[in-house]
Amino acid sequence: MTASTTGVVVQGTGGVWEVYTEQGDRVSASMRGRLKHEAHGALKLAVGDRVTLARDAQHAETWAITDIHPRTSKLARRMPGGRYGERVVVANLDQVLVVFAAARPEPHPRMLDRFLVIAEANGLSARIVINKADLVAPEVSAAVFADQAAAGYPVHHTSIRTGEGMDALRDEVEHRSSALSGPSGVGKSSLMNALFPGLDLRTGAVSESVNKGRHTTVGAMLHPLPHGGFIADTPGLREVGLWGIEAGQVASCFPEFRPLLEACRFADCIHTVEPGCAVREAVEAGDVSSGRYESYVKLRDELTGKG
Ligand code: GDP
Ligand code: ZN
């Protein structure tokens, strides 16, 4: 007799995988031989994948992964030139939470734009969290990422000290699968542990800087939330980086540029020196923020080797 269930891969990088089943159990499982063979190459199993599990009554303690369900999204590190394909860091994310502090450490709009472009290039929606709102006046907090708010990104102002914004953020995170990103020390682990007591994120584990030197060995890990949904605590967007993003793709990773791109005089406009550029006209008219435009030029230069 064979028992079967479905679940979500929460940890593992090959060999044995940890799967969180729909019954709420954490089990170890390995890929069934035939599937392993089929999956070789194109579809490798990744954290976040939904899978079907089966186990034989005779070997009651071991589960086999018999099927990988189609992915709805993937955060992937692409190799330059696409020669070695890509490595899926987390599958089936619903959103990325990019966390900064209103102060201590100082927020960096250009670093935020970089994270937002990586999310866009991966087809993921992003939500901005400005934590430590208690450290500055409300109007200062509101001004921090006003340009990104104007571009259409939802912005949350939170404080684990005063509780400001916590319920609203919890509502957007529960029942969804979210990746956490942002510099170290902004309060990512404090925030998640305050939103979901008992979650017990590894302190420091979600720090981008911590992962920098060991990105090839540390895989993402999904934490199930009490009422459904997951938080991926590492690695973040910086680990995925701009790898494999085409220079020509960058402009469309700025949502407020998108409606303008068709209006440039030249179809191959790169929005830097060309006459009749709708993007630069919008910047001059104050309709597009000069800071966001500066990020565009910087990221594009980086991808063309000029940065
Ligand atoms: P992480 O590296 O992003 O995970 O940051 P941590 O969660 O380790 O927090 C870094 C520091 O910021 C800790 O000392 C926290 O107590 C503090 N912190 C976190 N959230 C807040 C907040 O909302 N307000 C204030 N004032 N401090 C906070
Ligand atoms: Zn243009």
Side-chain angles (χ1 to χ4, degrees):
M1 218 211 80
T2 309
S4 110
T5 187
T6 60
V8 173
V9 176
V10 292
Q11 202 179 355
T13 47
V16 177
W17 300 83
E18 296 282 303
V19 179
Y20 187 72
T21 68
E22 61 182 335
Q23 289 79 24
D25 300 320
R26 234 187 137 85
V27 303
S28 298
S30 45
M31 293 252 258
R32 175 160 284 178
R34 193 174 50 84
L35 186 65
K36 207 169 177 174
H37 187 72
E38 285 170 6
H40 189 73
L43 189 68
K44 289 203 182 114
L45 189 63
V47 165
D49 269 322
R50 288 180 232 289
V51 295
T52 302
L53 299 172
R55 74 176 168 183
D56 297 326
Q58 290 93 328
H59 310 93
E61 69 287 0
T62 48
W63 288 87
I65 296 166
T66 59
D67 195 20
I68 305 171
H69 302 201
R71 287 177 185 149
T72 57
S73 73
K74 60 185 176 185
L75 178 62
R77 186 183 169 92
R78 289 167 191 85
M79 301 306 156
R83 270 194 303 159
Y84 307 102
E86 60 179 18
R87 189 170 65 76
V88 178
V89 175
V90 194
N92 299 320
L93 283 174
D94 297 307
Q95 62 185 353
V96 168
L97 303 176
V98 189
V99 186
F100 278 82
R104 286 189 245 158
E106 288 307 311
H108 282 287
R110 303 292 71 84
M111 195 195 289
L112 169 62
D113 288 339
R114 183 189 189 84
F115 287 135
L116 295 176
V117 163
I118 298 167
E120 295 282 344
N122 279 273
L124 296 168
S125 55
R127 187 171 288 281
I128 300 165
V129 181
I130 305 174
N131 189 40
K132 308 197 190 184
D134 57 285
L135 295 180
V136 301
E139 52 290 3
V140 175
S141 182
V144 169
F145 293 137
D147 290 346
Q148 290 76 11
Y153 292 100
V155 180
H156 293 259
H157 299 267
T158 60
S159 167
I160 64 161
R161 297 281 151 83
T162 65
E164 177 188 346
M166 298 296 274
D167 289 340
L169 181 59
R170 190 186 297 105
D171 282 348
E172 300 296 345
V173 172
E174 265 183 344
H175 309 294
R176 295 188 193 162
S177 186
S178 314
L180 269 182
S181 216
S184 64
V186 298
K188 293 181 299 298
S189 6
S190 316
L191 197 56
M192 289 303 131
N193 291 333
L195 285 178
F196 306 104
L199 189 64
D200 197 25
L201 282 188
R202 297 169 287 177
T203 309
V206 289
S207 301
E208 301 276 354
S209 56
V210 170
N211 289 318
K212 247 178 158 175
R214 46 166 195 174
H215 54 240
T216 46
T217 49
V218 178
M221 184 170 162
L222 286 184
H223 296 262
L225 299 177
H227 301 289
F230 295 93
I231 294 288
D233 77 350
T234 180
L237 294 178
R238 188 179 293 177
E239 201 265 354
V240 168
L242 293 172
W243 291 105
I245 299 176
E246 304 282 335
Q249 192 191 340
V250 181
S252 61
C253 291
F254 286 76
E256 72 272 46
F257 291 12
R258 278 180 215 141
L260 302 167
L261 300 177
E262 295 282 289
C264 292
R265 187 180 303 165
F266 301 107
D268 60 351
C269 188
I270 59 169
H271 325 297
T272 53
V273 294
E274 297 89 341
C277 171
V279 174
R280 284 196 304 133
E281 279 163 13
V283 175
E284 274 150 36
D287 297 333
V288 160
S289 106
S290 53
R292 292 274 292 163
Y293 178 71
E294 190 189 306
S295 287
Y296 163 73
V297 174
K298 219 173 136 225
L299 294 169
R300 195 181 186 284
D301 281 353
E302 191 179 321
L303 287 170
T304 51
K306 283 189 246 162

